[in-house]
Amino acid sequence: MNSNNKGVFRRIFRLSGKGGVIKLAFMVLLVIVQALSIAIGPAILGDALNIIVEGALNIEAARGGVDTPALIRVIIILCVLYIVGYLAKIVQEYMMSDFTANVVCNMRIRIANKMGRLPVGYYEKRALGDIMSTVTNDVDVIATGLQTIVSGLIYSVVLIVTILAIMLSLNLIMAGVVLLTLPISIFSMKGIVKRTGRAFYEQQVLTGEINGKIEEDISGFQVLKAYVREEDVIAEFDKSNEHLCKENSKSQFMGSMIDPIAMLIGNIGYIAVVIVGALLAIQGHLSVGSIQAFINYVNNFNQPVQNAAKMSTQIQMVVAATKRVFSFLDEEEEVVKDNLVREHEINGKVSFEDISFGYNPEKTIINDFSLEVCEGKQVAIVGPTGAGKSTIIKLLMRFYDVDSGRIMVDGMDIRELDRGLLRSGIGMVLQETWLFKGSILENIRFGRLDATREEVIEAAKLAEVDYFISTLPGGYDYELSEDGQNISSGQRQLITIARAILSNRPILILDEATSSVDTQTEHRIQRAMDNLMEGRTSFVIAHRLSTIRNADVILVLKDGDIVEQGTHSELLAKKGFYSELHNAQFEN
Amino acid sequence: MKLLLEVFKKNIKYVIPLILFTIVGIVFRLINTSFIGTVVNQVMAFTSDPNASETAGSVLSVIGLEMFGICAMISVMGIMSIFFASKLSAVTGRDLRKKLFTKIMSFSMKEIDSLSVSSLITLCTNDIVQIQNVVFIICTTALQVPFLVIGGITSMVANRSGLSWTVALASGLVIVILLVCVLRTLKIAGSYQGKIDAINSVTREGLTGTQVIRAFNRDTWNEERIIKASKEFRDINISFTRKMIVMEPSVYLVLNLVNLLATWLGAKRLEEGLINVGVISSYTSYLFMIVMGVLMFGLSAFSMIRMIVSLKRIRKIMDIEPAVSDGDLPKESIPERQSIEFKNVSFKYDEEGGYVIKNIDFTAECGKTTAIIGNTGCGKSTIMNLVSRLYDPDEGEILIGGIDARRYPVNELRNQIGYVTQKAVLFTGDIKSNIDFGTDCSDEAISEAAEIAQIKEFVDDNEEGYGYAIARGGTNVSGGQRQRLSIARAIAKNPKIYLFDDSFSALDYKTDAKLRKALKEKTKDATVLIVAQRVTSILDADRIIVMHNGIIVGQGTSSELLKSCEYYREILKSQVSEDEYEKMINNES
């Protein structure tokens, strides 16, 4: 284990919570007790056999029989030893399972906490499946690995050391014979373990690949079917599947080869012990019982060595998984300044002052954008895709920080404000609806956690979704499936609108909020929205120009610049880009 | 289980050598064990014979060589059986995965709707890995058990130690321990899996909802949800492992205590002159061999529980009959002109729910454009899905070119159709592979399709051109580009029927208008069915079908509908300004 790995394990232990070190120390103690009982056992059992052999020789020489009291004594000692070892093992395993479960639980809690503190940009850069795999699969690998590694490793080491000591005390030559097998063991194990590690890695990569393929194919099932692509897809799948099968079989074989090879080495030691032991016994340097003891020791000695070798594969996996988890935990967080303003009344006066921004330094999306919005005004933003409409919203929400210039909310630079405070002043509906597994009630209540059932229903009525909900079995208690897949996309949007209505914030953002809703329902919501937006500052992004006709100001964005600005009629009169966009809908 | 047997049968070339090598390996192991007794007796003989030292060396080296030979054989057999077991478990995984995936691909949308995407993925990967691992364990350990136990018992009886009953005692006790442990854990095994699912599900939601969670300042709420799930899992995990970890140490304790008992009894029998020391030595080996066999079997039984759960889950999928099946219409009989006719069609997505569309009657003629308009959830997309036979209607019939759609072989029918779905889906690859999408069309055809779909500019503007890489689901291009690419995909197919399901929603009006113009020329001989939200975009359609909550409330040209259909006027009114509305009404009259 190199120093890097040590650091990883130290961090794991830090996750074990209060008193973790003491518990760990106690566990180590128990492991030692248990290992000692296993180690001493054969020596004492050897004594028993010696007594019997002596007895046999006595009988042969007709000098009496087996020394029964001595035999009983040895057997009682052994009984006690076994039971002590057993209890130590059970208590230790109990503690270990608590320890592991706590470490993993705390790891998950850290991850959950971290999720809230990473900048939004992080999630846009990294593939969702990739992060998912870190916070679920990798944590699982750690959970299963930790349980066996910690106790297993200490156990093996203690066992090796104790057995070695006992063997040395019993007979130097014999101990030497057993020790000779050690270098062969280590040498051959090392080679296998290295190769196994590689094979396992390959296998994980391929599994991930095939996982991605299946996910993509099932997600795009409708299109695959419509274009009769099943055979191609299956053929492609077969290729990856065949490849995975090869790697599976290789890593499985490599991983398990350790057993027979270690057994062979163990057996070589065993034969050496028997032969050398017999020779020594004949010369009278060794008792038959000691041979038996050594036979047991050879096995007991090789087992921990084998186990340690096997475990090193597992350690590699745990270390790799832990590193991924920790690198997630170490990701740079949203910058939090010290003396942030935590109390500030947000009324909805927003101004953008010469802001510029680009997701990467080479490409500026927003150029010197300036705009002043008074309290209660409705601002609409239109323009072709990629013009930077959503970017402006993201800057206002402080998902990203501006490169230059500043955004002021009620006279305060938003970078001086606590993010939570800023965001709790803004209600938002996005085109991509996000609903979670839970009842419709809970999903709407997400907008304001302390809202009563009546308030939720009121908000749903305003969003024109109350009737639909009442037709569902269970009404507001109807359980939505993951991603809300069990209702139509228009209905999902209406629920998120109800959520925003309920949240009752001074600033409202609607980013293509009704794109999947039919125009009549939209019209009805519009009325509700108009009421809602009354007295609130709102930002509306829409393709359907009909929805923004009443906006106080319409901004026409093109390539990050405001090219036009004014009310609907002003812009139409201008006969510029906006009127082109507008008239395009009547061209045919 | 039947599934597994089928796979084994198919891969019998791995099964037979596996069994052979296992048996031979065990024979060698038994020989090896009986040797211990021989050696001990030999040593005893030498010790009691003062003149033995001279001969001892040569005798012992012969024994040593013999033992080495046997041990080497054991390991070689071991490696061979591991080799075949690895192969067998890997091909088992491969074959099951293939079966499952092929089955999933044979489903219609109806089946896919009823299964969640994430559960299917779990099945194809996690569950199969589970089965694969257990197959390996069974092949390498459980398979030995019967031979090991039989061999052990036979040798032990032959050994005549008179102690065989203690082995039976030990085995009995071990079996009881195993049973108790298995039964105790079995009770919570089910909820254990459920808690893992719960954690994964809240974590996934926390990740997919980052923006919304931030926007509502609900990070703490999200954190607490995950913490709650994690803690619940921790608790069940602890009680699960606690129940399980008792097993192994208890088995060893029994083993050791029985061994002591046997040593004591052996000593007594020795005194009576019934057995010699070698027998006692061998006894221990046999005892461990047999009882360990039982233990191994128990452990495999443990893992088999999970395997059977997984197999059952797979079986459930394999047993689903796809709702849409091939018709027997011969390829030559497929008509050249493909009009679409709905005759009194009704459909519902699930048995308990209500009808999504009811008594739908309309005809979309060849060479004409037919548009469908209506409120959210009125069944517009459903009609599209029925035409392409992603579902079959519950009542009524759909005639394609005058022939019932159900009579077509599914794929032949779909080959006639270019379907642009409501959600634009792209696949990992590049622009070319996404437009071509299995049709093997020429570069010119692709370029033409891109031009019509107004995506050519984007293609020409980037350096890689058609080789521009598309990420999974097309996340690296904008919504508008995704839509245009999926339109290009339909055009490149050069189909007889075009289905556009609200396919222009992410386009600004200008691009939209240009696209439609270009499309019109291309599709003049085809049957075109368009679902739209904006009335203005379908004003010139040859026929407009107005739907409301699953039924048709009006059909005809726009001017006809303006006169006859109140609902159509309402929709129009909601979309254009009053002036424009007045203008249109006046134009008609």
Side-chain angles (χ1 to χ4, degrees), chain B residues 485-506:
Chain B
L485 281 171
S486 56
I487 294 170
R489 175 163 66 201
I491 298 169
K493 200 177 170 186
N494 202 16
K496 292 179 184 151
I497 297 174
Y498 282 92
L499 303 177
F500 295 104
D501 187 358
D502 201 7
S503 315
F504 311 102
S505 63

Side-chain angles (χ1 to χ4, degrees), chain B residues 399-414:
Chain B
L399 306 178
I400 309 279
I403 300 171
D404 191 331
R406 278 169 292 205
R407 286 194 54 209
Y408 282 81
V410 181
N411 289 350
E412 290 304 331
L413 178 69
R414 289 184 189 144

Side-chain angles (χ1 to χ4, degrees), chain B residues 227-467:
Chain B
I227 291 176
K228 188 168 158 261
S230 301
K231 285 195 169 151
E232 278 174 9
F233 175 68
R234 178 191 60 189
D235 293 342
I236 200 158
N237 189 15
I238 288 177
S239 78
F240 187 79
T241 19
R242 278 191 177 171
K243 290 193 169 70
M244 231 173 63
I245 49 185
V246 191
M247 188 168 76
E248 235 186 282
S250 304
V251 169
Y252 279 108
L253 183 68
V254 167
L255 207 55
N256 282 324
L257 292 180
V258 169
N259 191 28
L260 281 184
L261 178 69
T263 311
W264 168 250
L265 293 171
K268 289 282 137 216
R269 288 178 71 84
L270 184 92
E271 245 179 342
E272 290 162 23
L274 293 172
I275 50 172
N276 56 32
V277 180
V279 173
I280 299 180
S281 280
S282 299
Y283 167 83
T284 312
S285 305
Y286 291 130
L287 173 71
F288 273 78
M289 201 179 213
I290 295 167
V291 176
M292 289 312 281
V294 176
L295 175 65
M296 275 192 306
F297 188 75
L299 289 175
S300 330
F302 239 122
S303 39
M304 264 170 71
I305 294 172
R306 286 189 71 180
M307 178 178 86
I308 289 169
V309 171
S310 294
L311 275 173
K312 270 191 188 148
R313 277 156 59 104
I314 292 175
R315 182 85 252 173
K316 235 163 99 188
I317 302 289
M318 298 301 291
D319 284 344
I320 298 175
E321 275 303 317
V324 173
S325 55
D326 279 338
D328 54 1
L329 190 71
K331 210 173 168 183
E332 324 64 88
S333 323
I334 295 174
E336 202 39 51
R337 294 174 68 81
Q338 299 256 318
S339 59
I340 304 167
E341 191 180 351
F342 272 57
K343 274 185 157 174
N344 203 25
V345 171
S346 300
F347 177 77
K348 49 186 171 188
Y349 282 98
D350 61 280
E351 298 307 315
E352 294 90 53
Y355 282 103
V356 183
I357 55 169
K358 196 142 175 61
N359 306 113
I360 298 295
D361 264 302
F362 75 87
T363 308
E365 279 165 51
C366 203
K368 300 264 171 76
T369 297
T370 307
I372 307 174
I373 194 161
N375 64 315
T376 306
C378 74
K380 302 180 296 268
S381 302
T382 307
I383 288 181
M384 298 302 215
N385 286 335
L386 288 172
V387 172
S388 46
R389 282 198 78 195
L390 291 171
Y391 302 89
D392 277 340
D394 292 319
E395 285 161 34
E397 55 180 358
I398 299 164
L399 306 178
I400 309 279
I403 300 171
D404 191 331
R406 278 169 292 205
R407 286 194 54 209
Y408 282 81
V410 181
N411 289 350
E412 290 304 331
L413 178 69
R414 289 184 189 144
N415 278 333
Q416 318 282 322
I417 302 174
Y419 185 5
V420 185
T421 51
Q422 188 175 19
K423 188 177 173 214
V425 180
L426 300 182
F427 292 84
T428 314
D430 53 27
I431 290 188
K432 185 169 181 224
S433 74
N434 268 288
I435 296 180
D436 178 72
F437 211 56
T439 23
D440 289 324
C441 45
S442 62
D443 285 353
E444 292 80 56
I446 290 179
S447 148
E448 190 203 350
E451 189 152 7
I452 295 172
Q454 308 298 315
I455 191 72
K456 196 153 195 311
E457 201 181 318
F458 172 75
V459 176
D460 292 340
D461 277 357
N462 72 67
E463 281 168 27
E464 294 97 340
Y466 288 100

Side-chain angles (χ1 to χ4, degrees), chain A residues 205-226:
Chain A
V205 171
L206 280 170
T207 308
E209 213 178 278
I210 211 162
N211 209 347
K213 236 181 205 120
I214 297 170
E215 200 258 350
E216 182 166 13
D217 290 338
I218 299 179
S219 304
F221 197 73
Q222 192 187 13
V223 176
L224 286 183
K225 281 268 142 178

